[in-house]
Amino acid sequence: MDIISQLQEQVNTIAAIAFNTFGTLQRDAPPVRLYTNYPEPPSSAAATTTVPNAAVAPPPAAAAATATNATTAASNNPTTEELLPNNNVSETPKILSAELVKAAKQFDALVAALPLTEGGEEAQLMRIAELQAENDLVGQELQKQLEAAEKELKQVQELFNEAADNCLNLKKPD
């Protein structure tokens, strides 16, 4: 795999770890009262008595779509379950931040492996101009070869047509 593909893969990994980190932290975060004048939420016992069938399974189409999305997203990026096999809430931020730092260091190592540009932007522009001039020369040569091949093809077609006419007319070739 080339270096650019590896960089893209590493960016995807970092994004997946960040996504899993934020989701896990949000899921495991304790509730915080942002405004003191809000009324108290109903207790969990009252909530279950008012809505007896709160835990209803999703419709089959929704479950299938969720399974498809999970399968697609799980290609090479680590999942929260893979990163946190023991589900220890107090250790979760440490483990996820360590994974994020590790992925970032791998990305930095890949960036460091990129070839350095020599001479700065001016040298790059000069090299681009040289390559374009070389490309133009090769293009002109190819165009000449194409014209010569078309001319030869035309001659071969004329000779073939003449041979076919001779065969049809049962003439002996001259």
Side-chain angles (χ1 to χ4, degrees), residues 58-68:
T66 304
T68 303

Side-chain angles (χ1 to χ4, degrees), residues 107-121:
F107 181 82
D108 290 341
L110 288 171
V111 169
L114 287 172
L116 297 176
T117 58
E118 298 175 9
E121 187 176 343

Side-chain angles (χ1 to χ4, degrees), residues 145-165:
Q145 290 177 356
L146 176 64
E147 290 171 0
E150 287 175 347
K151 184 178 178 182
E152 187 176 340
L153 175 63
K154 189 175 181 179
Q155 289 174 350
V156 168
Q157 286 175 336
E158 287 175 1
L159 290 173
F160 178 76
N161 288 338
E162 185 179 325
D165 286 344

Side-chain angles (χ1 to χ4, degrees), residues 64-77:
T66 304
T68 303
N69 291 343
T71 304
T72 305
S75 58
N76 283 335
N77 297 327

Side-chain angles (χ1 to χ4, degrees), residues 3-174:
I3 189 80
I4 300 300
S5 298
Q6 290 176 359
L7 282 169
Q8 290 171 337
E9 180 85 17
Q10 196 62 31
V11 167
N12 289 341
T13 301
I14 290 171
I17 292 171
F19 180 78
N20 287 336
T21 301
F22 299 146
T24 303
L25 291 175
Q26 182 180 11
R27 178 195 68 204
D28 296 341
V32 176
R33 178 169 232 120
L34 297 177
Y35 186 64
T36 57
N37 293 336
Y38 283 143
E40 282 293 320
S43 66
S44 60
T48 55
T49 58
T50 57
V51 184
N53 293 330
V56 176
T66 304
T68 303
N69 291 343
T71 304
T72 305
S75 58
N76 283 335
N77 297 327
T79 63
T80 307
E81 291 78 21
E82 292 171 353
L83 295 174
L84 307 170
N86 59 1
N87 257 350
N88 185 353
V89 175
S90 64
E91 293 295 317
T92 299
K94 293 176 186 175
I95 294 170
L96 291 174
S97 62
E99 284 297 317
L100 196 57
V101 168
K102 179 181 165 187
K105 285 182 179 180
Q106 289 174 346
F107 181 82
D108 290 341
L110 288 171
V111 169
L114 287 172
L116 297 176
T117 58
E118 298 175 9
E121 187 176 343
E122 290 179 14
Q124 289 179 352
L125 292 174
M126 290 176 57
R127 178 68 178 145
I128 289 171
E130 290 172 7
L131 291 172
Q132 285 176 337
E134 183 182 334
N135 187 32
D136 290 341
L137 289 174
V138 170
Q140 290 173 359
E141 183 180 329
L142 287 174
Q143 185 64 34
K144 289 177 185 176
Q145 290 177 356
L146 176 64
E147 290 171 0
E150 287 175 347
K151 184 178 178 182
E152 187 176 340
L153 175 63
K154 189 175 181 179
Q155 289 174 350
V156 168
Q157 286 175 336
E158 287 175 1
L159 290 173
F160 178 76
N161 288 338
E162 185 179 325
D165 286 344
N166 288 339
C167 287
L168 287 176
N169 294 329
L170 298 174
K171 293 182 184 177
K172 291 184 180 179
D174 297 334

